[in-house]
Amino acid sequence: MLSIRTFVCLLGLLVLLGCQKDDGPAKSPVSGQVTLDGTPLAEGQISFMPGNGVGISTGGKITNGTYRVDVPLGEMRVEIRAPKKVGEKSAYDAPDSPKMPIFEEKIPVKYNSNSELKATVAKGANKADFKLETPK
């Protein structure tokens, strides 16, 4: 028969084990540079999505042409976006309507919505540079 003390210790151990955080799939850092027509991308977003469409997507900010993101291991499809404010419009048709920004994507769709970019993420530090070109 268990003593009260042993029972309390076992119960505490079970509670601690049950409270452990599940960090999900293994990840590794991916960093690199992003240029558009040879110039570092001032700011934008980079996203990594599983190449097979199953799993966790992740992403981060691009600042001054560089990024660093912890990405699940495996073959990834990469999307890069950099929306640019090109104007404003009224939120609704009234003289006192608040203004809403109008954005235009400055990165060609072949690098985001219809991305052709890929990266393979392995255990340990990974480097992936992306040299984007606008169609002429």
Side-chain angles (χ1 to χ4, degrees):
M1 195 160 171
L2 291 176
S3 71
I4 297 269
R5 185 177 192 176
T6 305
F7 177 75
V8 170
C9 286
L10 285 174
L11 183 61
L13 181 61
L14 288 174
V15 168
L16 285 174
L17 289 174
C19 291
Q20 285 184 333
K21 184 171 93 172
D22 179 13
D23 290 331
K27 295 180 179 181
S28 284
V30 179
S31 62
Q33 298 207 340
V34 179
T35 59
L36 179 61
D37 298 325
T39 303
L41 189 61
E43 59 184 3
Q45 288 286 333
I46 188 165
S47 300
F48 292 83
M49 287 144 284
N52 63 5
V54 177
I56 296 174
S57 298
T58 189
K61 290 179 85 170
I62 300 167
T63 306
N64 298 321
T66 63
Y67 72 93
R68 186 195 176 286
V69 182
D70 288 336
V71 179
L73 306 181
E75 183 69 28
M76 294 287 164
R77 180 175 168 267
V78 180
E79 290 186 3
I80 298 174
R81 298 179 188 279
K84 176 183 174 186
K85 184 178 174 183
V86 294
E88 292 183 326
K89 66 178 181 176
S90 295
Y92 48 88
D93 191 20
D96 61 342
S97 172
K99 300 293 183 192
M100 295 176 46
I102 300 171
F103 290 97
E104 187 176 278
E105 182 58 61
K106 66 188 218 180
I107 305 293
V109 295
K110 73 178 189 174
Y111 303 123
N112 46 64
S113 299
N114 299 329
S115 183
E116 303 168 352
L117 303 173
K118 304 234 182 276
T120 301
V121 181
K123 191 170 175 112
N126 295 264
K127 185 162 176 59
D129 294 332
F130 298 98
K131 297 177 181 184
L132 314 179
E133 298 288 332
T134 53
K136 305 271 188 227

